[in-house]
Amino acid sequence: MKLDHLAIFLAFLYLQCYVRADSSSEEDSSSDEDQNEALLVEDPEFDLLIFTQRWPITACYEWREKSPDHICGLPSAQNIWTIHGIWPTKLNTIGPSFCNKTAVFNVTELDPIEKQLEQFWINVEKNKPYDSLWRHEWLKHGTCAAAVMVQLNTEDKYFGQGLTWLQQHSMADVLGEGGIKPGQNYTVLEIRQVLIDRLQKNMAIECYHDKETKQQFLNEIRVCFNKNLELENCDGILFEDVFIDQPQGKIITNCNVNKPVFYPATVPLSRYEKTHMSPFDLHTKFLEEYKRQKAKENKNMKILVNIYKLIQLLKWSTM
């Protein structure tokens, strides 16, 4: 009788493993669909426009860290900050986004300013289609700006405004005039003070954190504007839930204020380049590791099957 119970128990465990695997897969799929639906916001109202500039050197490093196959597209001119996007934002929340479900992106509308966009609103992630960043920014953020503001209600107005703001408030000029130059380490407080001295507003400072080296890199500066297209404090924007109170006021950043922030002059070597392994070698290594893992799983399954067979044999021999 005890052997019968043990056999039933093992069979039950075996079935539970597969049931959980199947349900987990279904939950993941459902979760993805829910997240996609959540992005389709009906209400386009917002409080501020976040104009995000990125340092393409850091953006390239972050992109190359994700895969040995990733290559970067960088501006032909050196020491220029580029545009990431203009993001309509409600205070104390994220979004709105994707405000027009039927909107389409027509790249030909950008023909008059396309050459400028290729330089100053460049897609650093060169493996993707050259206009993929523009398409994404327009459909996710531009449609919300267009629904509320006549000044930004077409593609050429939306992207043209970004070029205008970059010319007026380029971080290359703002930081450079304050003595913040590429190739050096700075504190968050030093960077923030230069921004406030030059623009008289509180802005968000975003760092890229290298998980392996524990180093943080200056990545983006987010400048806020009101609906009159005037500079505004970014206080109240939701920024990765990181707000640091200092005697100098609230700092909006995801950077560690107790560690230096590196402002790179050139793209650092990625972890793949540091290993001196080609993409082919890395792919081969991945396949070998995958095969070892599958062999281990198969071995464990064989052990379970053999135990079950042994139990059945013992049951038969005691009948």
Side-chain angles (χ1 to χ4, degrees):
M1 182 63 69
K2 290 183 179 180
L3 289 174
D4 287 341
H5 289 168
L6 180 58
I8 293 172
F9 176 70
L10 289 173
F12 174 78
L13 287 179
Y14 179 81
L15 289 172
Q16 283 295 307
C17 290
Y18 281 94
V19 168
R20 288 184 179 180
D22 289 342
S23 63
S24 175
S25 176
E26 291 174 1
E27 288 173 3
D28 290 344
S29 176
S30 175
S31 176
D32 289 342
E33 291 176 1
D34 291 343
Q35 289 176 1
N36 290 335
E37 285 296 321
L39 290 174
L40 301 174
V41 178
E42 296 290 345
D43 182 9
E45 284 300 325
F46 57 88
D47 301 305
L48 294 173
L49 294 161
I50 300 178
F51 175 55
T52 300
Q53 296 182 49
R54 64 172 20 161
W55 180 233
I57 300 297
T58 301
C60 173
Y61 178 53
E62 181 179 3
W63 176 240
R64 289 170 59 181
E65 278 288 282
K66 294 178 179 178
S67 169
D69 298 322
H70 285 177
I71 56 176
C72 298
L74 294 173
S76 57
Q78 294 184 342
N79 195 31
I80 66 169
W81 282 64
T82 59
I83 304 167
H84 187 168
I86 301 173
W87 305 335
T89 301
K90 289 183 179 180
L91 295 178
N92 302 309
T93 188
I94 294 176
S97 56
F98 296 102
C99 294
N100 185 347
K101 300 178 184 180
T102 62
V104 295
F105 173 74
N106 183 2
V107 71
T108 60
E109 291 189 22
L110 301 178
D111 284 349
I113 58 174
E114 185 171 351
K115 292 299 181 183
Q116 292 173 274
L117 294 176
E118 289 174 351
Q119 180 77 355
F120 299 110
W121 204 318
I122 190 171
N123 188 359
V124 173
E125 300 171 357
K126 197 171 183 179
N127 300 67
K128 299 179 180 180
Y130 83 99
D131 64 345
S132 61
L133 176 61
W134 306 337
R135 178 185 301 275
H136 171 78
E137 293 301 314
W138 172 251
L139 295 178
K140 183 175 182 180
H141 304 289
T143 54
C144 299
V148 174
M149 298 179 59
V150 66
Q151 306 99 309
L152 303 175
N153 65 357
T154 63
E155 288 180 30
D156 61 322
K157 289 181 182 179
Y158 175 80
F159 289 97
Q161 186 61 55
L163 293 173
T164 298
W165 278 339
L166 185 68
Q167 186 177 25
Q168 294 171 343
H169 309 294
S170 168
M171 285 301 118
D173 297 335
V174 171
L175 295 175
E177 291 169 3
I180 305 293
K181 307 284 187 180
Q184 303 293 327
N185 283 303
Y186 300 94
T187 67
V188 175
L189 292 177
E190 288 173 331
I191 297 170
R192 178 177 183 266
Q193 193 59 54
V194 167
L195 296 175
I196 290 179
D197 289 345
R198 293 297 182 278
L199 298 182
Q200 306 299 311
K201 300 295 179 183
N202 194 18
M203 283 157 271
I205 304 169
E206 199 261 346
C207 285
Y208 167 65
H209 299 273
D210 189 318
K211 295 180 180 179
E212 290 196 0
T213 66
K214 309 303 181 185
Q215 191 175 16
Q216 55 184 2
F217 296 81
L218 183 59
N219 191 31
E220 292 186 344
I221 304 292
R222 300 179 184 180
V223 187
C224 293
F225 292 84
N226 58 32
K227 292 179 182 177
N228 293 321
L229 306 182
E230 301 166 334
L231 280 169
E232 188 63 79
N233 284 310
C234 289
D235 298 332
I237 69 170
L238 192 61
F239 183 68
E240 301 187 28
D241 298 323
V242 179
F243 299 89
I244 303 170
D245 286 314
Q246 294 284 321
Q248 300 89 340
K250 183 171 290 187
I251 301 176
I252 309 170
T253 185
N254 72 331
C255 309
N256 186 336
V257 296
N258 298 314
K259 293 177 61 177
V261 177
F262 186 50
Y263 184 11
T266 58
V267 181
L269 291 176
S270 71
R271 57 196 172 103
Y272 303 105
E273 293 170 305
K274 291 174 184 176
T275 61
H276 303 291
M277 295 178 69
S278 68
F280 176 79
D281 292 334
L282 287 165
H283 183 64
T284 301
K285 183 178 180 181
F286 170 80
L287 288 178
E288 290 174 351
E289 181 61 30
Y290 176 78
K291 289 178 181 178
R292 280 195 295 269
Q293 184 64 28
K294 292 300 293 183
K296 183 178 179 181
E297 292 175 1
N298 291 337
K299 182 179 179 181
N300 291 337
M301 182 59 68
K302 287 180 180 178
I303 292 173
L304 182 60
V305 170
N306 289 335
I307 291 174
Y308 180 75
K309 288 180 178 179
L310 177 60
I311 292 171
Q312 294 299 315
L313 178 62
L314 290 172
K315 286 172 59 180
W316 178 81
S317 63
T318 56
M319 288 179 63

